[in-house]
């Protein structure tokens, strides 16, 4: 009996013992084997072990439209740090830009406006002019988030605006009198944090205000929408991290007690309802396991050059990307390793800028600096210099 004549379940069992290189070689044997080996079911277990393949630890596939074999190939470039660098957009004034990525559309805030830029089908380039602009702030946009139907933004003038992504409509929510630093929204719930030592919590209308007695730098709503986490400047409190109940607006607990003064948390992201990643001025990325009692830091990674970490993103599995405060340094981390996996310096020593925000998909990473937007393309090896 030929290999191609074996039942599918037997073939799947045999191929499960092969690594990605052996599978790639096997696919070159004949046409029938090629088509079988290219099935996502063959590559699924292998893809779970690679960085940024879109397979989360609970088995969810973030990019089901991209063949897993292709994603594993690109993931090897992420691990090796092989990419092509480009600067799709530049602007003259120094800003504090923010990014969101939704499919083939990149949203970028510049001063008081948020532009929606169409990415080319192959993500090779960004069209230089936005096809839509969201405006309405008299001051700079500090943060914005995307939902299926809305773009919600906060600004330095204290406004919170809800823009419709389907119609030319916007609505203003009354916010604090000073700059709104941070924002998150899920299922109609909007949480914002401001510099006037208050945090505002609203559903469709103002629901309540919590006095924090400290500046709020970051907020994140749990995937269950039953609680949210705040990160403060850690100037008045022993811990900058607090978990709050959504319904009662009461503090459930604090995370950690050994933070030094000024160790503010600048960014945070939920990986799951019980896993939270944080970063900030104390140069550490921390993974908090909210199932433990008391809730403790499960793992931590230190920025090797003692730089504050402005932003983080995760693939939901093993990879973390972080943006540093000096020289536009983006670092890639593998959770299974203590040390940094790869780093990319995007700004020169003469013109140093923090990485204010970064976003990535399966093949590209976008980083926003003070005057430039950078893109890293991990699909191909760099063009050799002749």
């Amino acid at each position: 009996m030929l290999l191609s004549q074996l039942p599918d379940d037997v073939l799947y069992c045999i191929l499960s013992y092969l690594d990605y290189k052996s599978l790639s070689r096997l696919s070159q044997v004949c046409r029938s084997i090629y088509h079988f080996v290219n099935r996502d079911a063959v590559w699924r277990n292998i893809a779970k072990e690679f960085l940024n393949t879109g397979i989360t630890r609970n088995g969810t596939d973030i990019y089901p439209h991209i063949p897993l074999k292709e994603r594993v190939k690109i993931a090897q470039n992420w691990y090796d740090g092989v990419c092509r660098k480009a600067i799709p957009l530049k602007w003259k004034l120094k800003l504090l830009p923010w990014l969101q990525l939704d499919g083939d559309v990149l949203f970028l805030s510049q001063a008081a406006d948020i532009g929606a830029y169409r990415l080319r089908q192959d993500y090779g380039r960004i069209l230089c002019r936005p096809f839509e602009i969201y405006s309405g702030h008299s001051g700079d946009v500090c943060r914005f988030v995307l939902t299926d139907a809305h773009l919600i933004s906060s600004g330095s003038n204290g406004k919170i605006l809800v823009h419709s992504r389907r119609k030319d409509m916007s609505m203003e929510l009354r916010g604090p009198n000073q700059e709104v630093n941070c924002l998150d929204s899920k299922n109609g719930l909007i949480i914002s944090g401001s510099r006037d030592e208050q945090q505002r919590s609203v559903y469709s209308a103002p629901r309540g205000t919590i006095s924090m007695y400290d500046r709020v730098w970051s907020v994140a709503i749990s995937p269950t929408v039953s609680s949210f986490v705040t990160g403060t400047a850690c100037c008045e409190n022993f811990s900058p991290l607090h978990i709050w109940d959504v319904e009662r607006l009461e503090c459930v607990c604090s995370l950690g007690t050994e933070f030094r003064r000024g160790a503010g948390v600048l960014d945070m992201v939920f990986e799951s309802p019980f896993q939270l990643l944080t970063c900030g001025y104390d140069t550490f990325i921390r993974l908090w396991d909210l199932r433990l009692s008391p809730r403790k830091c499960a793992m931590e990674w230190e920025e090797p050059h003692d730089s504050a970490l402005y932003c983080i993103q995760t693939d939901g599995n093993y990879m973390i990307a972080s943006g540093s405060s000096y020289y536009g340094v983006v670092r890639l981390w593998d959770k299974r390793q203590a040390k940094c996996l790869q780093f990319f310096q995007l700004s020169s020593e003469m013109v140093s800028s923090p990485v204010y925000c970064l976003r990535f998909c399966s093949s590209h990473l976008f980083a926003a600096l003070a005057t430039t937007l950078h893109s890293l393309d991990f699909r191909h090896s760099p063009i050799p210099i002749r």
Side-chain angles (χ1 to χ4, degrees):
M1 180 179 287
L2 298 176
L3 183 66
S4 58
Q5 294 175 325
L6 290 172
D8 285 1
D9 56 343
V10 176
L11 263 179
Y12 282 131
C13 182
I14 294 172
L15 299 184
S16 67
Y17 290 94
L18 301 182
D19 60 15
Y20 78 99
K21 290 183 179 179
S22 300
L23 283 174
S24 298
R25 294 186 183 118
L26 181 63
S27 67
Q28 301 174 25
V29 170
C30 66
R31 185 173 297 178
S32 60
I33 292 294
Y34 172 83
H35 289 298
F36 188 89
V37 171
N38 278 11
R39 295 180 184 179
D40 280 1
V42 175
W43 292 88
R44 194 167 185 83
N45 287 333
I46 292 177
K48 291 179 181 179
E49 299 301 316
F50 278 77
L51 302 181
N52 197 29
T53 57
I55 303 295
T56 62
R57 262 177 289 178
N58 61 11
T60 303
D61 192 346
I62 303 174
Y63 312 111
H65 59 287
I66 306 175
L68 273 176
K69 179 184 177 182
E70 181 66 22
R71 282 184 266 166
V72 169
K73 176 185 174 183
I74 296 172
Q76 189 63 46
N77 288 339
W78 282 90
Y79 189 88
D80 296 333
V82 176
C83 66
R84 292 179 182 176
K85 299 179 183 179
I87 303 178
L89 295 173
K90 292 183 179 181
W91 48 90
K92 294 181 179 180
L93 297 177
K94 288 187 176 182
L95 304 174
L96 277 73
W98 194 252
L99 294 172
Q100 294 291 354
L101 187 61
D102 184 17
D104 63 346
V105 179
L106 182 73
F107 295 83
L108 169 67
S109 66
Q110 294 173 287
D113 297 327
I114 301 169
Y117 294 84
R118 189 80 66 186
L119 304 178
R120 288 184 53 151
Q121 204 167 30
D122 60 354
Y123 277 24
R125 292 177 57 190
I126 297 175
L127 299 183
C128 59
R129 293 184 179 275
F131 69 89
E132 192 165 358
I133 295 177
Y134 300 88
S135 57
H137 288 279
S138 57
D140 289 354
V141 173
C142 297
R143 289 289 188 275
F144 67 92
V145 294
L146 300 175
T147 66
D148 291 339
H150 298 94
L151 185 152
I152 305 165
S153 60
S154 62
S156 59
N157 59 352
K159 287 184 179 180
I160 299 173
L161 298 180
V162 181
H163 307 269
S164 173
R165 295 178 60 183
R166 298 167 185 167
K167 300 178 182 179
D168 187 15
M169 295 174 55
S170 63
M171 176 179 66
E172 179 181 337
L173 301 178
R174 190 178 64 181
N177 295 324
Q178 296 189 23
E179 179 180 352
V180 181
N181 305 312
C182 50
L183 187 74
D184 197 11
S185 177
K186 283 185 178 68
N187 294 354
L189 171 67
I190 299 174
I191 304 290
S192 68
S194 65
R195 294 183 63 176
D196 64 351
E197 302 179 354
Q198 291 181 342
Q199 173 180 294
R200 192 169 186 81
S201 173
V202 293
Y203 279 97
S204 57
R207 183 178 178 84
T209 302
I210 303 172
S211 181
M212 298 291 294
Y213 306 104
D214 207 350
R215 289 185 176 180
V216 182
W217 288 124
S218 55
V219 295
I221 302 173
S222 168
T224 62
V225 200
S226 60
S227 62
F228 59 92
V229 183
T230 58
T232 64
C234 201
C235 294
E236 304 293 337
N237 302 315
F238 291 107
S239 172
L241 289 166
H242 302 273
I243 301 178
W244 303 82
D245 181 86
V246 165
E247 295 297 330
R248 302 192 308 270
L249 296 184
E250 294 179 357
C251 182
V252 177
C253 69
S254 300
L255 300 178
T257 57
E258 298 179 357
F259 289 91
R260 68 173 185 266
R261 180 179 173 84
V265 175
L266 296 177
D267 198 12
M268 60 176 71
V269 58
F270 272 97
E271 279 199 319
S272 71
F274 51 84
Q275 289 182 313
L276 176 71
L277 282 165
T278 64
C279 71
Y281 283 118
D282 67 345
T283 75
F284 278 91
I285 300 172
R286 290 186 171 89
L287 175 63
W288 302 89
D289 192 335
L290 307 184
R291 295 171 298 183
L292 301 176
S293 183
R295 298 169 176 85
K296 295 181 179 179
C297 176
M299 299 177 69
E300 63 183 23
W301 300 267
E302 185 177 10
E303 213 287 334
H305 290 166
D306 200 32
S307 298
L309 296 174
Y310 274 47
C311 54
I312 51 173
Q313 279 290 286
T314 173
D315 68 346
N317 194 16
Y318 292 118
M319 193 185 85
I320 305 171
S322 65
S324 301
S325 58
Y326 296 120
Y327 309 122
V329 172
V330 172
R331 296 188 185 274
L332 303 183
W333 306 81
D334 188 335
K335 291 180 185 175
R336 297 162 292 187
Q337 302 179 20
K339 295 183 179 179
C340 168
L341 182 64
Q342 300 290 344
F343 81 96
F344 308 92
Q345 183 174 326
L346 303 181
S347 67
S348 65
E349 295 183 4
M350 299 296 294
V351 187
S352 177
S353 168
V355 179
Y356 290 110
C357 186
L358 57 84
R359 294 290 183 267
F360 59 77
C361 59
S362 65
S363 58
H364 284 72
L365 184 146
F366 300 95
L369 277 64
T371 59
T372 51
L373 173 69
H374 293 254
S375 71
L376 306 180
D377 183 353
F378 291 89
R379 294 171 304 169
H380 310 290
S381 300
I383 300 173
I385 300 175
R386 296 181 179 178

